[in-house]
Amino acid sequence: MIFELSEEQKMIRDAARDFAEIELKPGVIERDENQTFPVEQVKKLGELGFLGMMVDPKYNGSGLDSISYVLAMEEFSKIDASASVVVSVNNSLVCFGLEKYGSEDQKEKYLKPLAAGEVIGAFCLSEPEAGSDATSQRTIAEDKGDYYLLNGTKNWITNGNSASIYLVIAQTHPEKGSKGINVLIVEKGMEGFSIGPKENKMGIRGSDTHSLLFNDVKIPKSNRIGDDGFGFKFAMQTLDGGRIGIAAQALGIASGAYELALNYAKERKAFGKPIAELQAISFKLADMATDIEAARLLVMKAAWLKDQKLPYAKYASMAKLKASEVAMKTTIEAVQIHGGYGFVKEYHVERLMRDAKVTQIYEGTSEIQRLVIAREILK
């Protein structure tokens, strides 16, 4: 087994690290405080090719592997998880779904501008009463012959107001259950499509999370991805890749908190020496480093399996479960090591702790990941 990164992968990691320090770090506290979407930063991410990292260059993508993607996600997330979740959704959910399952016309019209970073996308599955239970879709896409008539509500949608292209999961044939669900491409500005107020969240506050409302929205049949009834399979396949992205985000949040805590512990003195030399603190740092490395190996294995076109659902869920738990544990300890300073915004760790919690919730809760893992190991 080879654990060494390629030169190209190292270059991508270093470029992402530089971008995070130079472009994301300035103003990150203010964006969090004011719930400001990182418009300029996301635009630059697009220009540098980070919003279509794994897309084939013929569709304006960067043509990189999943390992490079998770390396970049970790670096962005160390500094600004609100920006990194935009990268995750656009890459793992929207671009991936369109490239793998979309028609050539859909790729030309929608994937190319998404991969080029000219616009961003949103993945619309969750509903007020259908979050983790994707089979219970109450958003209806009624078949009207040449078009679908879309009605319903989606909530907790990342990029809800900033996106231009939305992949919406909706029920067409309720009597068929999961086999009656479709996925439709909806464009911002379509008549009957409106966006609800921005959610006031505990963490990733710079990310814009909204409810979406569909009232008799006419969607051309040409905007359906795949065959009639393919929507549920589309959602499940796409979420597997999405979990790798969120696992990488959680890993980055944990790594960022650990690095801050380590540096602070080396500089802060108590009882005549740096607190890092106190056993109580050094043991915390040792546990943090070990947990992060374990999570990193799971994330990398899931990404490697995906690149090898091998089954990766189990490891994607394992990676997300482990990394999100490590993110929560590590950020709490980072605040503790900082003491009173950890409770102050300017030291960043309190924000990372708030951001960490959502990684245990979206792309399927920790409980859902355990269900997926159990299903896989019991096959």
Side-chain angles (χ1 to χ4, degrees):
M1 298 179 70
I2 300 172
F3 290 92
E4 184 64 29
L5 299 176
S6 69
E7 289 304 313
E8 182 181 47
Q9 289 165 344
K10 291 176 183 177
M11 287 175 58
I12 297 299
R13 179 198 61 194
D14 293 345
R17 183 178 297 164
D18 290 344
F19 185 91
E21 286 289 338
I22 296 169
E23 300 290 346
L24 295 180
K25 193 170 184 178
V28 65
I29 294 174
E30 291 74 17
R31 292 195 300 274
D32 174 80
E33 182 79 15
N34 300 317
Q35 300 190 76
T36 304
F37 186 80
V39 176
E40 290 303 314
Q41 291 80 5
V42 170
K43 181 180 178 182
K44 290 178 181 178
L45 284 166
E47 292 169 351
L48 291 171
F50 284 113
L51 295 184
M53 292 186 71
M54 297 171 287
V55 176
D56 192 302
K58 70 180 179 180
Y59 300 118
N60 295 336
S62 300
L64 298 170
D65 60 5
S66 298
I67 297 288
S68 297
Y69 166 60
V70 299
L71 289 169
M73 277 293 298
E74 180 180 354
E75 295 302 327
F76 297 146
S77 303
K78 287 179 181 180
I79 303 295
D80 188 356
S82 293
S84 73
V85 76
V86 179
V87 177
S88 178
V89 169
N90 211 69
N91 277 287
S92 292
L93 299 179
V94 183
C95 285
F96 171 81
L98 276 167
E99 184 172 25
K100 187 171 179 64
Y101 299 111
S103 67
E104 282 303 314
D105 287 343
Q106 290 167 349
K107 292 175 186 179
E108 285 290 326
K109 185 175 181 180
Y110 298 113
L111 180 58
K112 279 189 170 182
L114 283 163
E118 296 168 4
V119 298
I120 59 174
F123 183 81
C124 311
L125 175 64
S126 294
E127 297 183 1
E129 296 182 28
S132 299
D133 182 9
T135 61
S136 299
Q137 296 294 302
R138 297 197 177 185
T139 297
I140 302 298
E142 188 179 357
D143 192 334
K144 292 292 187 179
D146 293 335
Y147 63 90
Y148 290 100
L149 198 62
L150 187 64
N151 284 281
T153 301
K154 296 292 182 181
N155 66 346
W156 313 118
I157 305 303
T158 301
N159 301 339
N161 189 49
S162 300
S164 298
I165 298 167
Y166 302 77
L167 305 187
V168 180
I169 313 298
Q171 181 65 262
T172 300
H173 310 287
E175 71 282 0
K176 295 182 180 180
S178 64
K179 295 182 179 180
I181 294 172
N182 281 310
V183 54
L184 306 176
I185 303 170
V186 179
E187 299 176 33
K188 194 173 191 177
M190 283 183 165
E191 187 176 353
F193 173 31
S194 58
I195 299 168
K198 184 174 183 176
E199 300 290 352
N200 188 359
K201 307 188 299 292
M202 176 176 79
I204 57 166
R205 289 168 57 82
S207 163
D208 64 329
T209 305
H210 294 256
S211 293
L212 308 179
L213 298 91
F214 306 98
N215 183 21
D216 286 345
V217 184
K218 290 184 177 181
I219 310 298
K221 278 283 181 72
S222 59
N223 279 31
R224 186 187 72 205
I225 298 178
D227 295 332
D228 188 21
F230 179 68
F232 180 75
K233 184 177 180 181
F234 174 93
M236 294 302 100
Q237 293 288 327
T238 305
L239 283 173
D240 284 340
R243 286 168 184 147
I244 296 175
I246 298 307
Q249 182 189 45
L251 175 64
I253 292 170
S255 297
Y258 165 72
E259 290 174 7
L260 290 168
L262 178 63
N263 291 333
Y264 178 82
K266 288 178 178 179
E267 296 169 0
R268 177 80 162 93
K269 291 185 177 182
F271 308 106
K273 58 184 176 181
I275 63 171
E277 296 180 18
L278 300 174
Q279 191 177 79
I281 301 299
S282 66
F283 279 16
K284 285 183 186 292
L285 292 168
D287 286 343
M288 293 160 77
T290 302
D291 285 343
I292 289 168
E293 193 60 27
R296 180 175 290 113
L297 289 171
L298 274 173
V299 174
M300 290 297 182
K301 181 163 185 178
W304 181 84
L305 288 168
K306 184 172 182 287
D307 285 336
Q308 301 304 311
K309 298 186 179 359
L310 294 170
Y312 62 92
K314 178 177 72 173
Y315 281 96
S317 286
M318 284 180 169
K320 183 186 179 296
L321 175 63
K322 181 63 175 178
S324 63
E325 290 183 346
V326 169
M328 201 69 248
K329 178 182 175 183
T330 301
T331 54
I332 289 172
E333 292 287 37
V335 171
Q336 191 71 19
I337 289 171
H338 278 76
Y341 293 107
F343 217 61
V344 178
K345 291 183 181 296
E346 68 180 278
Y347 284 80
H348 295 283
V349 286
E350 65 83 28
R351 172 173 48 81
L352 290 170
M353 185 179 74
R354 289 186 284 107
D355 289 347
K357 186 60 192 173
V358 77
T359 66
Q360 293 182 304
I361 298 172
Y362 58 12
E363 305 295 340
T365 62
S366 295
E367 292 74 19
I368 292 297
Q369 303 317 310
R370 288 183 169 91
L371 283 173
V372 173
I373 295 164
R375 181 189 65 204
E376 292 292 324
I377 64 177
L378 291 172
K379 278 184 179 178

